[in-house]
Amino acid sequence: MSAFIDSLIDDMTVEEKAGQLTLYTSGWAVTGPQLRDDYLEELKAGRAGNLFNAHTVDYAIKLQKMAVEETRLGIPLLFGLDVIHGYKTTFPIPLAEASSWDMDLIQKTARLSAREATAAGVNWTFNPMVDISRDPRWGRVAEGSGEDVYLGGLIAAAKVKGYQGDDLSDPSTLLACVKHFAAYGASQAGRDYHTVDMSDRVLRETYLPPYKAALDAGATTFMTSFNELDGVPASGSKYLMTEILRDEWGFTGFVVTDYTAINEMVPHGVVENEKQAAELAFKAGVDMDMQGGLYSRYLPELIKEGKIKESMLDQCVRRILEMKYKLGLFEDPYRYLNKAREEQTLFSKELMDHSLHSAKESIVLLKNEEVKGAKLLPLSKSVKSIALIGPLADNQKDMLGTWHMSGDASKVVTLLKGIKETAPEVTVHYASGAGFGDSDMTGMDEAVRAASKADIVIMALGENYQQSGEAASRSDIGLPKSQQLLMEKVHTLGKPMVAVVMAGRPLSMTWMEENIPAIVNAWHLGTMAGKAMAEVLFGDHVPSGKLPMTFPRNVGQIPVFYNMKNTGRPFDESNKYTSKYLDIPNDPLYPFGYGLSYTSFDYSNIALSTEELARTDTLSVRVKVTNTGRYEGKEIVQLYLRDLVGSVTRPVKELKRFKKINLKPGRSETVHFKLTYEDLCFYTRDMSFKAEPGKFKVFVGPNAMEGLEADFDFN
Ligand code: GLC
C-alpha cells in the first residue's frame, strides 16, 4: 500500500494534493449554512477528492465515473453521509437506543445501517457522535448517548465496531467518524455552537474518554467540533488535533473538519481572514476541509510562500489515500456500487425486525400507578374503547427523529396503526387536538369530545423531529404549550390517562408526573415506532429501558446530573444554609439509570469479596436480584462507586459496571461484578491518573438514586 501511495503522491500536483484534502456536499441534502454549486467542476478539475450527501448507486456511479475517468489521476472518491441511526430503515435516535444499555443491540444497529448505506454507495459515515452532554436544552443530545462517560464510552466503541466491522475492504463496511472532537456537548446554556470552557481535569475525566474509546475500537476518522475550547476553536487547536489525538493517543487516521468550521474561525475571532484560517487549521493537524474550500484555495499558495511544508501536505494526503486504499477503492472504485445489491438490501426484513427490536428496548416506563385497584399498564386488549389524542399519534414523519437523512416516512408504523395491529378488537377514537407550537389549538374541542367517548385515554405528545438535533436548542424543555393545554383539558374528564411522550431530549414533565398515572417515554423510535409502542402499551413487550440522561424538574435546574460533587454544604432540610433551591428539591424528576418494568425487582444480599482491596487485587461484588412481580422482565443492574476522599473532590457516584438480566416471575439471580485498580483511578491534584488510598462505597441498584451499598478500603 505505501509503495503504491508514495508513487501516486509523487505524480500529484500541489493542487491535486489539496484536492484530496477537500470535501464538498452534493446538492442532495442541506446539512449546513451554505452550498456551492461548482462541486462538479471542482471534482473534474481534481480539486475535490471527496463528496458527501451524494448517495444511491445511480448517482454515485455517475460521480465516481467522473472522478475515475475524467480527472488526470483518476483517484476514486470517498462518499460520506450522516448515517446516524439508519440509512433508509430508520432506527431509534441514538439517545433512545442508549436507553437499551445493550451493546450487542447497538453494535448490530450500526452493522445493519452500514450494510444498507454501503449498498447505496456510501463508504463513510459521520458517526458515532460521542459528545457527552448534561444539558437537555442542547438539541444535539438526541444524537448522543447522554450524560455518562462509562456508558457513552461503551456505546462509542460498539458503534465503531458495527460500522467498520473487521475488514474495511468488505463492501458492507464503511469508515466511522468520531465526532465532534471535542466537548461540543458542553456548549454554554445549551445553545448550539456556543462557547465551551472547562478545566483540563473535567475535559479529561468526563468529555474525552468516549472519543478515546472510539479510537481504541479502531475508528479511522475524527471530525472537529464547531466550538472553541479554552479560547481556541477546535479546528485550530493543536492541543486537541495533534498533542492529544496523535501524540498522546497515537491516532493514525485522518481528521476532517465539521461543515465550514475552518471558515468560521474568522467570526470566532482567532484569525483575520480565511487564508490565515486555512494555515491555522493545517498547522493544528486538520487533514480535510469539509465544505469550506479553503484548503483547495490556499494550501498551494501557502506552500509557495513557504508558510507550510509540502512534506506536511503529503502526510495529510497519505492518510486519506490510505483510507481509500483500505476500502478497496483503488482496486475497484465501483465495489460499493452494485444496483442489484442495493435493491435487495434496502428495507430488508432483517433490518426492519431489528428496528422493531431496538425500538422496544429503547422505551422507558417512567410511571405506572394503580387505577381502580390495578396498575394502569399494560392495557387489556379487551378494553372496549380507547381515545388516542395528540399530534404524535398518527404521525409518520416525526417518528423518524432528527438526522433521519434518507429515511422513508411512508414506511413508518404510527402509534395509531400499531394499536390497531396489536389490539384489533379495541375501538379507537383518534384526534390530534394540538400542534407543536404554543398556540395551535385547532381541533382541541374535537379531541376532548373523542376522549369523552372512551374508557381510557392515551395522549401522544412531545416534539416534532425538527425540535431537536442540530441548531435546535430550546430555552424551555416542556411540552409545547398547546399540548400541555390539551392534556389538562382532557384530564378534567376524569378518565384513566396514559401519556406517551415522544421527543429528542429529556422533557420537563412535572405536571404530568403529578397528574397522569402512567407515563411512557418513547423518544423518536424510527420506522417501527408505533408497533413498538403499542406492544409495550398492551404488554406484548415488557419495557426495560433506563434513562441515559437525567430528566430535570424544570429548565432552571440544568445542569443536573447524577455524578455531581457533594459540596461543602450538602442539602440538609434542617439547615437553611445548605445547597438548595427555594422552589424545587435538588433531586431531578427522574434520575440517570431510571426506568420501570411491568414487574418489580428486589435487590438483596450485597456482598464484597474483601473489605481491604490491595492494588493488585480484584474486588468482586455480588448482589441478589429477584423478580417479585407477575411478568417476566429485564432489569439493568447498575454498579456505582464513590471515592469518599481524594486529593480533589470526587463525584458522589460514578457508574462503573452494569448488567442487563432477564428474570421470570419469582426467580432470582446473583449478579457478579468485578472491579480492579483501574476502576478507582482518576486525575489527582497534580493531574496524574491513579487511585489514592482511602474509603470507597459500592452501590448496586436499579438507578443512580436507589440501591444497596457496601464499603471497602483501598490501600
Ligand atoms: C453538520 C453537523 C455534523 C455533520 C456534518 C455533515 O453541520 O455538525 O454532525 O456530520 O455537518 O452533514
Side-chain angles (χ1 to χ4, degrees), residues 23 30-33 52-53 81-82 84 126-127 129 140 143 179-180 184 192-193 223-224 226 257-259 290 403 405 470:
L23 168 67
V30 181
T31 59
F52 66 113
N53 294 329
L81 187 70
D82 292 283
I84 309 297
F126 302 132
N127 214 38
M129 184 276 211
R140 304 199 76 165
E143 303 168 47
K179 71 186 188 185
H180 304 78
Y184 181 28
D192 208 357
Y193 316 126
M223 183 187 293
T224 68
F226 291 120
T257 67
D258 201 341
Y259 204 109
M290 177 193 286
W403 283 111
M405 286 313 283
E470 185 175 358

PDB file of all heavy atoms in Angstrom, residues 23 30-33 52-53 81-82 84 126-127 129 140 143 179-180 184 192-193 223-224 226 257-259 290 403 405 470, ligand 1:
ATOM      1  N   LEU A  23     -13.522  18.286   0.756  1.00  0.00           N
ATOM      2  CA  LEU A  23     -14.787  17.518   0.827  1.00  0.00           C
ATOM      3  C   LEU A  23     -15.922  18.503   0.576  1.00  0.00           C
ATOM      4  O   LEU A  23     -16.026  19.514   1.280  1.00  0.00           O
ATOM      5  CB  LEU A  23     -14.923  16.896   2.219  1.00  0.00           C
ATOM      6  CG  LEU A  23     -16.266  16.285   2.619  1.00  0.00           C
ATOM      7  CD1 LEU A  23     -16.579  15.046   1.779  1.00  0.00           C
ATOM      8  CD2 LEU A  23     -16.264  15.917   4.103  1.00  0.00           C
ATOM      9  N   VAL A  30     -29.133  19.447   2.557  1.00  0.00           N
ATOM     10  CA  VAL A  30     -28.540  20.642   3.155  1.00  0.00           C
ATOM     11  C   VAL A  30     -28.272  20.334   4.618  1.00  0.00           C
ATOM     12  O   VAL A  30     -29.190  20.136   5.388  1.00  0.00           O
ATOM     13  CB  VAL A  30     -29.502  21.846   3.044  1.00  0.00           C
ATOM     14  CG1 VAL A  30     -28.834  23.079   3.663  1.00  0.00           C
ATOM     15  CG2 VAL A  30     -29.860  22.101   1.595  1.00  0.00           C
ATOM     16  N   THR A  31     -27.001  20.211   4.948  1.00  0.00           N
ATOM     17  CA  THR A  31     -26.697  19.903   6.361  1.00  0.00           C
ATOM     18  C   THR A  31     -25.825  21.000   6.958  1.00  0.00           C
ATOM     19  O   THR A  31     -25.158  20.798   7.939  1.00  0.00           O
ATOM     20  CB  THR A  31     -25.947  18.555   6.470  1.00  0.00           C
ATOM     21  OG1 THR A  31     -24.744  18.652   5.704  1.00  0.00           O
ATOM     22  CG2 THR A  31     -26.796  17.402   5.968  1.00  0.00           C
ATOM     23  N   GLY A  32     -25.836  22.164   6.312  1.00  0.00           N
ATOM     24  CA  GLY A  32     -25.047  23.266   6.856  1.00  0.00           C
ATOM     25  C   GLY A  32     -25.479  24.574   6.230  1.00  0.00           C
ATOM     26  O   GLY A  32     -26.417  24.598   5.428  1.00  0.00           O
ATOM     27  N   PRO A  33     -24.800  25.658   6.571  1.00  0.00           N
ATOM     28  CA  PRO A  33     -25.271  27.006   6.256  1.00  0.00           C
ATOM     29  C   PRO A  33     -25.172  27.381   4.778  1.00  0.00           C
ATOM     30  O   PRO A  33     -25.859  28.271   4.332  1.00  0.00           O
ATOM     31  CB  PRO A  33     -24.380  27.908   7.101  1.00  0.00           C
ATOM     32  CG  PRO A  33     -23.266  27.091   7.594  1.00  0.00           C
ATOM     33  CD  PRO A  33     -23.641  25.668   7.496  1.00  0.00           C
ATOM     34  N   PHE A  52     -19.962  14.403   0.017  1.00  0.00           N
ATOM     35  CA  PHE A  52     -20.912  13.848   0.988  1.00  0.00           C
ATOM     36  C   PHE A  52     -22.317  14.269   0.590  1.00  0.00           C
ATOM     37  O   PHE A  52     -22.496  15.133  -0.265  1.00  0.00           O
ATOM     38  CB  PHE A  52     -20.568  14.225   2.426  1.00  0.00           C
ATOM     39  CG  PHE A  52     -20.667  15.676   2.801  1.00  0.00           C
ATOM     40  CD1 PHE A  52     -21.634  16.114   3.716  1.00  0.00           C
ATOM     41  CD2 PHE A  52     -19.784  16.622   2.285  1.00  0.00           C
ATOM     42  CE1 PHE A  52     -21.703  17.445   4.099  1.00  0.00           C
ATOM     43  CE2 PHE A  52     -19.845  17.957   2.662  1.00  0.00           C
ATOM     44  CZ  PHE A  52     -20.814  18.369   3.578  1.00  0.00           C
ATOM     45  N   ASN A  53     -23.285  13.594   1.188  1.00  0.00           N
ATOM     46  CA  ASN A  53     -24.706  13.795   0.859  1.00  0.00           C
ATOM     47  C   ASN A  53     -25.043  13.362  -0.565  1.00  0.00           C
ATOM     48  O   ASN A  53     -26.095  13.706  -1.071  1.00  0.00           O
ATOM     49  CB  ASN A  53     -25.141  15.256   1.078  1.00  0.00           C
ATOM     50  CG  ASN A  53     -25.088  15.630   2.545  1.00  0.00           C
ATOM     51  OD1 ASN A  53     -25.310  14.756   3.411  1.00  0.00           O
ATOM     52  ND2 ASN A  53     -24.755  16.857   2.843  1.00  0.00           N
ATOM     53  N   LEU A  81     -21.760  10.300   4.406  1.00  0.00           N
ATOM     54  CA  LEU A  81     -23.172  10.617   4.675  1.00  0.00           C
ATOM     55  C   LEU A  81     -23.413  10.489   6.184  1.00  0.00           C
ATOM     56  O   LEU A  81     -22.800   9.648   6.850  1.00  0.00           O
ATOM     57  CB  LEU A  81     -24.096   9.637   3.928  1.00  0.00           C
ATOM     58  CG  LEU A  81     -25.591   9.950   3.993  1.00  0.00           C
ATOM     59  CD1 LEU A  81     -25.918  11.203   3.177  1.00  0.00           C
ATOM     60  CD2 LEU A  81     -26.414   8.771   3.480  1.00  0.00           C
ATOM     61  N   ASP A  82     -24.335  11.309   6.701  1.00  0.00           N
ATOM     62  CA  ASP A  82     -24.685  11.212   8.122  1.00  0.00           C
ATOM     63  C   ASP A  82     -25.626  10.047   8.346  1.00  0.00           C
ATOM     64  O   ASP A  82     -26.831  10.225   8.453  1.00  0.00           O
ATOM     65  CB  ASP A  82     -25.354  12.512   8.586  1.00  0.00           C
ATOM     66  CG  ASP A  82     -24.371  13.655   8.594  1.00  0.00           C
ATOM     67  OD1 ASP A  82     -23.551  13.713   9.527  1.00  0.00           O
ATOM     68  OD2 ASP A  82     -24.408  14.460   7.633  1.00  0.00           O
ATOM     69  N   ILE A  84     -26.774   8.272  10.922  1.00  0.00           N
ATOM     70  CA  ILE A  84     -26.695   8.451  12.386  1.00  0.00           C
ATOM     71  C   ILE A  84     -27.484   7.363  13.115  1.00  0.00           C
ATOM     72  O   ILE A  84     -27.073   6.829  14.139  1.00  0.00           O
ATOM     73  CB  ILE A  84     -27.224   9.850  12.780  1.00  0.00           C
ATOM     74  CG1 ILE A  84     -26.544  10.943  11.950  1.00  0.00           C
ATOM     75  CG2 ILE A  84     -27.095  10.088  14.279  1.00  0.00           C
ATOM     76  CD1 ILE A  84     -25.065  11.063  12.128  1.00  0.00           C
ATOM     77  N   PHE A 126     -20.628   9.855   9.040  1.00  0.00           N
ATOM     78  CA  PHE A 126     -20.181  10.851  10.030  1.00  0.00           C
ATOM     79  C   PHE A 126     -20.830  10.490  11.368  1.00  0.00           C
ATOM     80  O   PHE A 126     -21.733  11.160  11.856  1.00  0.00           O
ATOM     81  CB  PHE A 126     -20.592  12.251   9.582  1.00  0.00           C
ATOM     82  CG  PHE A 126     -20.051  12.637   8.235  1.00  0.00           C
ATOM     83  CD1 PHE A 126     -20.877  13.197   7.275  1.00  0.00           C
ATOM     84  CD2 PHE A 126     -18.718  12.419   7.906  1.00  0.00           C
ATOM     85  CE1 PHE A 126     -20.380  13.567   6.022  1.00  0.00           C
ATOM     86  CE2 PHE A 126     -18.212  12.775   6.659  1.00  0.00           C
ATOM     87  CZ  PHE A 126     -19.053  13.348   5.721  1.00  0.00           C
ATOM     88  N   ASN A 127     -20.380   9.391  11.916  1.00  0.00           N
ATOM     89  CA  ASN A 127     -20.903   8.852  13.172  1.00  0.00           C
ATOM     90  C   ASN A 127     -19.884   7.848  13.697  1.00  0.00           C
ATOM     91  O   ASN A 127     -19.097   7.321  12.913  1.00  0.00           O
ATOM     92  CB  ASN A 127     -22.258   8.156  12.918  1.00  0.00           C
ATOM     93  CG  ASN A 127     -23.208   8.322  14.103  1.00  0.00           C
ATOM     94  OD1 ASN A 127     -23.253   9.372  14.735  1.00  0.00           O
ATOM     95  ND2 ASN A 127     -23.938   7.267  14.426  1.00  0.00           N
ATOM     96  N   MET A 129     -21.502   9.982  16.948  1.00  0.00           N
ATOM     97  CA  MET A 129     -21.438  11.229  17.724  1.00  0.00           C
ATOM     98  C   MET A 129     -21.350  10.818  19.193  1.00  0.00           C
ATOM     99  O   MET A 129     -22.246  10.177  19.721  1.00  0.00           O
ATOM    100  CB  MET A 129     -22.688  12.053  17.450  1.00  0.00           C
ATOM    101  CG  MET A 129     -22.726  13.405  18.093  1.00  0.00           C
ATOM    102  SD  MET A 129     -23.327  13.327  19.810  1.00  0.00           S
ATOM    103  CE  MET A 129     -24.109  14.902  19.947  1.00  0.00           C
ATOM    104  N   ARG A 140     -28.759  18.635  20.293  1.00  0.00           N
ATOM    105  CA  ARG A 140     -27.983  17.500  19.773  1.00  0.00           C
ATOM    106  C   ARG A 140     -27.815  16.386  20.800  1.00  0.00           C
ATOM    107  O   ARG A 140     -27.209  15.362  20.481  1.00  0.00           O
ATOM    108  CB  ARG A 140     -26.636  17.990  19.242  1.00  0.00           C
ATOM    109  CG  ARG A 140     -26.802  19.070  18.180  1.00  0.00           C
ATOM    110  CD  ARG A 140     -25.596  19.276  17.308  1.00  0.00           C
ATOM    111  NE  ARG A 140     -25.485  18.206  16.314  1.00  0.00           N
ATOM    112  CZ  ARG A 140     -24.702  18.274  15.233  1.00  0.00           C
ATOM    113  NH1 ARG A 140     -23.938  19.353  15.040  1.00  0.00           N
ATOM    114  NH2 ARG A 140     -24.636  17.280  14.372  1.00  0.00           N
ATOM    115  N   GLU A 143     -28.588  13.022  19.415  1.00  0.00           N
ATOM    116  CA  GLU A 143     -27.649  12.268  18.572  1.00  0.00           C
ATOM    117  C   GLU A 143     -26.641  11.476  19.392  1.00  0.00           C
ATOM    118  O   GLU A 143     -25.868  10.713  18.823  1.00  0.00           O
ATOM    119  CB  GLU A 143     -26.862  13.224  17.672  1.00  0.00           C
ATOM    120  CG  GLU A 143     -27.687  14.116  16.785  1.00  0.00           C
ATOM    121  CD  GLU A 143     -26.833  15.213  16.165  1.00  0.00           C
ATOM    122  OE1 GLU A 143     -25.742  14.915  15.653  1.00  0.00           O
ATOM    123  OE2 GLU A 143     -27.254  16.372  16.209  1.00  0.00           O
ATOM    124  N   LYS A 179     -17.242  12.010  16.310  1.00  0.00           N
ATOM    125  CA  LYS A 179     -17.495  13.451  16.351  1.00  0.00           C
ATOM    126  C   LYS A 179     -18.203  13.797  17.645  1.00  0.00           C
ATOM    127  O   LYS A 179     -18.757  12.897  18.305  1.00  0.00           O
ATOM    128  CB  LYS A 179     -18.300  13.859  15.124  1.00  0.00           C
ATOM    129  CG  LYS A 179     -19.759  13.379  15.131  1.00  0.00           C
ATOM    130  CD  LYS A 179     -20.443  13.716  13.803  1.00  0.00           C
ATOM    131  CE  LYS A 179     -21.935  13.417  13.867  1.00  0.00           C
ATOM    132  NZ  LYS A 179     -22.592  13.627  12.571  1.00  0.00           N
ATOM    133  N   HIS A 180     -18.167  15.116  18.042  1.00  0.00           N
ATOM    134  CA  HIS A 180     -17.447  16.195  17.379  1.00  0.00           C
ATOM    135  C   HIS A 180     -16.305  16.566  18.320  1.00  0.00           C
ATOM    136  O   HIS A 180     -16.580  16.965  19.459  1.00  0.00           O
ATOM    137  CB  HIS A 180     -18.375  17.386  17.181  1.00  0.00           C
ATOM    138  CG  HIS A 180     -19.631  17.080  16.435  1.00  0.00           C
ATOM    139  ND1 HIS A 180     -20.723  16.459  17.014  1.00  0.00           N
ATOM    140  CD2 HIS A 180     -19.985  17.273  15.141  1.00  0.00           C
ATOM    141  CE1 HIS A 180     -21.677  16.318  16.103  1.00  0.00           C
ATOM    142  NE2 HIS A 180     -21.262  16.801  14.953  1.00  0.00           N
ATOM    143  N   TYR A 184     -18.121  19.247  22.461  1.00  0.00           N
ATOM    144  CA  TYR A 184     -19.172  20.075  21.846  1.00  0.00           C
ATOM    145  C   TYR A 184     -20.445  20.062  22.702  1.00  0.00           C
ATOM    146  O   TYR A 184     -21.223  20.994  22.711  1.00  0.00           O
ATOM    147  CB  TYR A 184     -19.404  19.499  20.467  1.00  0.00           C
ATOM    148  CG  TYR A 184     -20.413  20.112  19.549  1.00  0.00           C
ATOM    149  CD1 TYR A 184     -20.780  21.442  19.591  1.00  0.00           C
ATOM    150  CD2 TYR A 184     -21.007  19.321  18.566  1.00  0.00           C
ATOM    151  CE1 TYR A 184     -21.695  21.982  18.698  1.00  0.00           C
ATOM    152  CE2 TYR A 184     -21.933  19.844  17.667  1.00  0.00           C
ATOM    153  CZ  TYR A 184     -22.275  21.167  17.739  1.00  0.00           C
ATOM    154  OH  TYR A 184     -23.187  21.676  16.847  1.00  0.00           O
ATOM    155  N   ASP A 192     -26.591  25.874  20.753  1.00  0.00           N
ATOM    156  CA  ASP A 192     -25.718  25.192  19.814  1.00  0.00           C
ATOM    157  C   ASP A 192     -24.627  26.125  19.317  1.00  0.00           C
ATOM    158  O   ASP A 192     -24.850  27.318  19.153  1.00  0.00           O
ATOM    159  CB  ASP A 192     -26.535  24.643  18.633  1.00  0.00           C
ATOM    160  CG  ASP A 192     -25.860  23.414  18.025  1.00  0.00           C
ATOM    161  OD1 ASP A 192     -24.753  23.048  18.490  1.00  0.00           O
ATOM    162  OD2 ASP A 192     -26.430  22.814  17.117  1.00  0.00           O
ATOM    163  N   TYR A 193     -23.452  25.552  19.061  1.00  0.00           N
ATOM    164  CA  TYR A 193     -22.277  26.267  18.543  1.00  0.00           C
ATOM    165  C   TYR A 193     -21.695  27.241  19.562  1.00  0.00           C
ATOM    166  O   TYR A 193     -20.774  28.004  19.234  1.00  0.00           O
ATOM    167  CB  TYR A 193     -22.589  27.051  17.259  1.00  0.00           C
ATOM    168  CG  TYR A 193     -23.411  26.317  16.230  1.00  0.00           C
ATOM    169  CD1 TYR A 193     -24.589  26.873  15.727  1.00  0.00           C
ATOM    170  CD2 TYR A 193     -23.044  25.063  15.755  1.00  0.00           C
ATOM    171  CE1 TYR A 193     -25.357  26.208  14.782  1.00  0.00           C
ATOM    172  CE2 TYR A 193     -23.798  24.401  14.817  1.00  0.00           C
ATOM    173  CZ  TYR A 193     -24.968  24.976  14.338  1.00  0.00           C
ATOM    174  OH  TYR A 193     -25.735  24.324  13.395  1.00  0.00           O
ATOM    175  N   MET A 223     -13.886  13.957  13.486  1.00  0.00           N
ATOM    176  CA  MET A 223     -14.389  15.228  12.985  1.00  0.00           C
ATOM    177  C   MET A 223     -14.225  16.301  14.059  1.00  0.00           C
ATOM    178  O   MET A 223     -14.545  16.062  15.223  1.00  0.00           O
ATOM    179  CB  MET A 223     -15.872  15.110  12.601  1.00  0.00           C
ATOM    180  CG  MET A 223     -16.441  16.392  12.003  1.00  0.00           C
ATOM    181  SD  MET A 223     -18.224  16.336  11.735  1.00  0.00           S
ATOM    182  CE  MET A 223     -18.346  15.113  10.444  1.00  0.00           C
ATOM    183  N   THR A 224     -13.749  17.478  13.635  1.00  0.00           N
ATOM    184  CA  THR A 224     -13.570  18.565  14.599  1.00  0.00           C
ATOM    185  C   THR A 224     -14.930  19.153  14.958  1.00  0.00           C
ATOM    186  O   THR A 224     -15.892  19.053  14.195  1.00  0.00           O
ATOM    187  CB  THR A 224     -12.719  19.707  14.017  1.00  0.00           C
ATOM    188  OG1 THR A 224     -13.488  20.334  12.958  1.00  0.00           O
ATOM    189  CG2 THR A 224     -11.396  19.209  13.487  1.00  0.00           C
ATOM    190  N   PHE A 226     -17.444  22.478  16.200  1.00  0.00           N
ATOM    191  CA  PHE A 226     -17.572  23.906  15.879  1.00  0.00           C
ATOM    192  C   PHE A 226     -17.066  24.787  17.013  1.00  0.00           C
ATOM    193  O   PHE A 226     -16.648  25.920  16.799  1.00  0.00           O
ATOM    194  CB  PHE A 226     -19.044  24.262  15.650  1.00  0.00           C
ATOM    195  CG  PHE A 226     -19.641  23.684  14.409  1.00  0.00           C
ATOM    196  CD1 PHE A 226     -20.727  22.824  14.474  1.00  0.00           C
ATOM    197  CD2 PHE A 226     -19.140  24.011  13.160  1.00  0.00           C
ATOM    198  CE1 PHE A 226     -21.295  22.300  13.330  1.00  0.00           C
ATOM    199  CE2 PHE A 226     -19.710  23.503  12.001  1.00  0.00           C
ATOM    200  CZ  PHE A 226     -20.792  22.635  12.089  1.00  0.00           C
ATOM    201  N   THR A 257     -12.805  18.454   9.188  1.00  0.00           N
ATOM    202  CA  THR A 257     -13.496  19.453   9.994  1.00  0.00           C
ATOM    203  C   THR A 257     -14.994  19.230   9.903  1.00  0.00           C
ATOM    204  O   THR A 257     -15.467  18.481   9.046  1.00  0.00           O
ATOM    205  CB  THR A 257     -13.251  20.879   9.462  1.00  0.00           C
ATOM    206  OG1 THR A 257     -13.884  20.995   8.176  1.00  0.00           O
ATOM    207  CG2 THR A 257     -11.774  21.182   9.366  1.00  0.00           C
ATOM    208  N   ASP A 258     -15.741  19.912  10.782  1.00  0.00           N
ATOM    209  CA  ASP A 258     -17.172  19.960  10.558  1.00  0.00           C
ATOM    210  C   ASP A 258     -17.423  21.033   9.488  1.00  0.00           C
ATOM    211  O   ASP A 258     -16.506  21.727   9.045  1.00  0.00           O
ATOM    212  CB  ASP A 258     -17.894  20.263  11.883  1.00  0.00           C
ATOM    213  CG  ASP A 258     -19.351  19.816  11.835  1.00  0.00           C
ATOM    214  OD1 ASP A 258     -19.878  19.629  10.721  1.00  0.00           O
ATOM    215  OD2 ASP A 258     -19.939  19.623  12.898  1.00  0.00           O
ATOM    216  N   TYR A 259     -18.647  21.175   9.130  1.00  0.00           N
ATOM    217  CA  TYR A 259     -19.097  21.949   7.975  1.00  0.00           C
ATOM    218  C   TYR A 259     -18.627  23.416   8.006  1.00  0.00           C
ATOM    219  O   TYR A 259     -19.074  24.174   8.858  1.00  0.00           O
ATOM    220  CB  TYR A 259     -20.623  21.922   7.980  1.00  0.00           C
ATOM    221  CG  TYR A 259     -21.318  22.149   6.676  1.00  0.00           C
ATOM    222  CD1 TYR A 259     -21.974  21.116   6.021  1.00  0.00           C
ATOM    223  CD2 TYR A 259     -21.351  23.415   6.098  1.00  0.00           C
ATOM    224  CE1 TYR A 259     -22.657  21.323   4.828  1.00  0.00           C
ATOM    225  CE2 TYR A 259     -22.022  23.624   4.904  1.00  0.00           C
ATOM    226  CZ  TYR A 259     -22.674  22.591   4.281  1.00  0.00           C
ATOM    227  OH  TYR A 259     -23.344  22.793   3.107  1.00  0.00           O
ATOM    228  N   MET A 290     -14.081  20.289   5.283  1.00  0.00           N
ATOM    229  CA  MET A 290     -15.439  19.994   4.842  1.00  0.00           C
ATOM    230  C   MET A 290     -16.130  21.275   4.408  1.00  0.00           C
ATOM    231  O   MET A 290     -16.368  22.174   5.234  1.00  0.00           O
ATOM    232  CB  MET A 290     -16.267  19.338   5.950  1.00  0.00           C
ATOM    233  CG  MET A 290     -17.713  19.072   5.541  1.00  0.00           C
ATOM    234  SD  MET A 290     -18.783  18.654   6.918  1.00  0.00           S
ATOM    235  CE  MET A 290     -18.279  16.988   7.292  1.00  0.00           C
ATOM    236  N   TRP A 403     -31.950  13.951  12.070  1.00  0.00           N
ATOM    237  CA  TRP A 403     -30.901  13.241  11.311  1.00  0.00           C
ATOM    238  C   TRP A 403     -31.402  11.926  10.718  1.00  0.00           C
ATOM    239  O   TRP A 403     -30.683  10.917  10.697  1.00  0.00           O
ATOM    240  CB  TRP A 403     -29.653  12.980  12.167  1.00  0.00           C
ATOM    241  CG  TRP A 403     -28.802  14.191  12.358  1.00  0.00           C
ATOM    242  CD1 TRP A 403     -28.622  14.865  13.528  1.00  0.00           C
ATOM    243  CD2 TRP A 403     -28.035  14.907  11.372  1.00  0.00           C
ATOM    244  NE1 TRP A 403     -27.785  15.945  13.333  1.00  0.00           N
ATOM    245  CE2 TRP A 403     -27.417  16.002  12.019  1.00  0.00           C
ATOM    246  CE3 TRP A 403     -27.820  14.740  10.013  1.00  0.00           C
ATOM    247  CZ2 TRP A 403     -26.597  16.916  11.361  1.00  0.00           C
ATOM    248  CZ3 TRP A 403     -27.008  15.647   9.338  1.00  0.00           C
ATOM    249  CH2 TRP A 403     -26.401  16.711  10.015  1.00  0.00           C
ATOM    250  N   MET A 405     -32.100  11.837   7.625  1.00  0.00           N
ATOM    251  CA  MET A 405     -31.470  11.888   6.287  1.00  0.00           C
ATOM    252  C   MET A 405     -32.333  11.284   5.191  1.00  0.00           C
ATOM    253  O   MET A 405     -33.216  11.880   4.680  1.00  0.00           O
ATOM    254  CB  MET A 405     -30.134  11.151   6.337  1.00  0.00           C
ATOM    255  CG  MET A 405     -29.058  11.905   7.044  1.00  0.00           C
ATOM    256  SD  MET A 405     -28.912  13.610   6.552  1.00  0.00           S
ATOM    257  CE  MET A 405     -28.079  13.451   5.020  1.00  0.00           C
ATOM    258  N   GLU A 470     -29.432  19.274  15.331  1.00  0.00           N
ATOM    259  CA  GLU A 470     -28.533  20.412  15.140  1.00  0.00           C
ATOM    260  C   GLU A 470     -29.304  21.706  15.024  1.00  0.00           C
ATOM    261  O   GLU A 470     -30.368  21.768  14.435  1.00  0.00           O
ATOM    262  CB  GLU A 470     -27.664  20.235  13.898  1.00  0.00           C
ATOM    263  CG  GLU A 470     -26.651  21.378  13.773  1.00  0.00           C
ATOM    264  CD  GLU A 470     -25.673  21.209  12.648  1.00  0.00           C
ATOM    265  OE1 GLU A 470     -25.721  20.184  11.950  1.00  0.00           O
ATOM    266  OE2 GLU A 470     -24.837  22.119  12.471  1.00  0.00           O
TER     267      GLU A 470
HETATM  268  C1  GLC B   1     -23.223  19.203  10.255  1.00  0.00           C
HETATM  269  C2  GLC B   1     -23.015  18.536  11.594  1.00  0.00           C
HETATM  270  C3  GLC B   1     -22.197  17.285  11.528  1.00  0.00           C
HETATM  271  C4  GLC B   1     -22.456  16.592  10.202  1.00  0.00           C
HETATM  272  C5  GLC B   1     -21.895  17.486   9.113  1.00  0.00           C
HETATM  273  C6  GLC B   1     -22.148  16.909   7.710  1.00  0.00           C
HETATM  274  O1  GLC B   1     -23.086  20.591  10.410  1.00  0.00           O
HETATM  275  O2  GLC B   1     -22.488  19.340  12.644  1.00  0.00           O
HETATM  276  O3  GLC B   1     -22.552  16.455  12.650  1.00  0.00           O
HETATM  277  O4  GLC B   1     -21.816  15.330  10.170  1.00  0.00           O
HETATM  278  O5  GLC B   1     -22.409  18.814   9.169  1.00  0.00           O
HETATM  279  O6  GLC B   1     -23.504  16.859   7.438  1.00  0.00           O
END
